[in-house]
Amino acid sequence: MKKKDIIALAIAAVVIVVGGSLFIKTRVAVSENRLASNITKAVQNKDGALFLKQFSKDNQDIKFSDIGAQSVVKDLHDNATDPTSEIGKIITDGRTVAGTKVDYTFKVESKKVMGLFTSYYLTTRKSPIQVTNYTGYGDDMTIKMTNGGKNQTITKSQLSSGLFPGRYDFDITSGGTDDGSYWVRVAGDGGPIELSVTEY
């Protein structure tokens, strides 16, 4: 192999390594500033999908997390008394956003990407929902989650496995009787929530 070819190959290899590193650093690894910016953008646009993408894969995979994330950005957008443009920074600083219906608990964690770059993301804790039926019909109960115009039938075991932060609305019937509409609001602190179903 000629000397010119060796030099050309060496230059090409350097370009590939540098280019690949820059791609990973700017596109794959998420800086704290970019995390804050993504959160703010999600809140400004009420974009629950973008907000959810800022969380760990385990958090994203929590059942109904898309519904919870959408309700969180709506609450942050509509009710926060802190400036919307500062919400991402407030959350990544580990502070609580003022004015929301609950004090959401989010934590910033980091991991190494390719062993070189630090990437930041959010985590939260899911809260188990315990449904107690005081209508006299025992476990003969149908629970439908009604967020976003959907009517998804869900089980007590799905609720007891825990929900991502946010507001969840339900229509509950037991013994063939409509027991009414109920809701729970999950803060992300991991605390259990009791949903008491009473006669309509």
Side-chain angles (χ1 to χ4, degrees):
M1 190 177 275
K2 294 181 181 178
K3 188 175 182 182
K4 282 184 181 180
D5 293 339
I6 294 171
I7 292 171
L9 280 173
I11 290 171
V14 169
V15 168
I16 290 169
V17 169
V18 171
S21 296
L22 285 174
F23 176 81
I24 291 168
K25 185 174 183 182
T26 59
R27 298 288 181 206
V28 179
V30 178
S31 68
E32 280 188 283
N33 286 339
R34 187 164 145 218
L35 178 62
S37 175
N38 288 346
I39 295 166
T40 297
K41 183 178 176 184
V43 173
Q44 288 171 335
N45 297 326
K46 292 187 186 178
D47 187 342
L50 176 60
F51 184 68
L52 189 57
K53 283 181 183 175
Q54 308 317 306
F55 286 82
S56 70
K57 184 74 169 71
D58 286 347
N59 283 169
Q60 291 179 44
D61 289 341
I62 296 171
K63 190 78 172 167
F64 312 116
S65 59
D66 57 332
I67 291 171
Q70 187 60 52
S71 70
V72 170
V73 292
K74 184 179 186 309
D75 187 15
L76 290 168
H77 181 279
D78 294 349
N79 299 310
T81 52
D82 288 315
T84 304
S85 60
E86 295 295 316
I87 287 177
K89 183 76 172 121
I90 291 168
I91 290 173
T92 56
D93 283 349
R95 294 179 284 140
T96 302
V97 178
T100 55
K101 297 294 184 181
V102 295
D103 292 335
Y104 297 105
T105 303
F106 304 125
K107 185 177 174 186
V108 176
E109 296 192 20
S110 65
K111 62 183 177 183
K112 287 291 186 184
V113 177
M114 304 294 286
L116 297 171
F117 307 107
T118 303
S119 186
Y120 295 88
Y121 58 94
L122 294 178
T123 61
T124 190
R125 296 176 65 197
K126 58 184 181 178
S127 289
I129 313 300
Q130 178 64 49
V131 182
T132 306
N133 187 352
Y134 291 110
T135 64
Y137 289 103
D139 286 334
D140 180 17
M141 179 186 297
T142 301
I143 306 168
K144 289 189 176 179
M145 189 179 293
T146 59
N147 294 63
K150 298 176 182 176
N151 273 310
Q152 305 178 66
T153 300
I154 59 174
T155 64
K156 289 173 71 174
S157 65
Q158 285 175 321
L159 291 174
S160 66
S161 69
L163 296 178
F164 186 88
R167 177 178 167 137
Y168 299 87
D169 299 311
F170 309 102
D171 277 341
I172 300 177
T173 60
S174 60
T177 304
D178 180 7
D179 295 311
S181 298
Y182 294 82
W183 58 270
V184 295
R185 200 179 291 277
V186 179
D189 57 5
I193 297 170
E194 181 167 339
L195 176 60
S196 298
V197 181
T198 57
E199 288 186 286
Y200 190 57

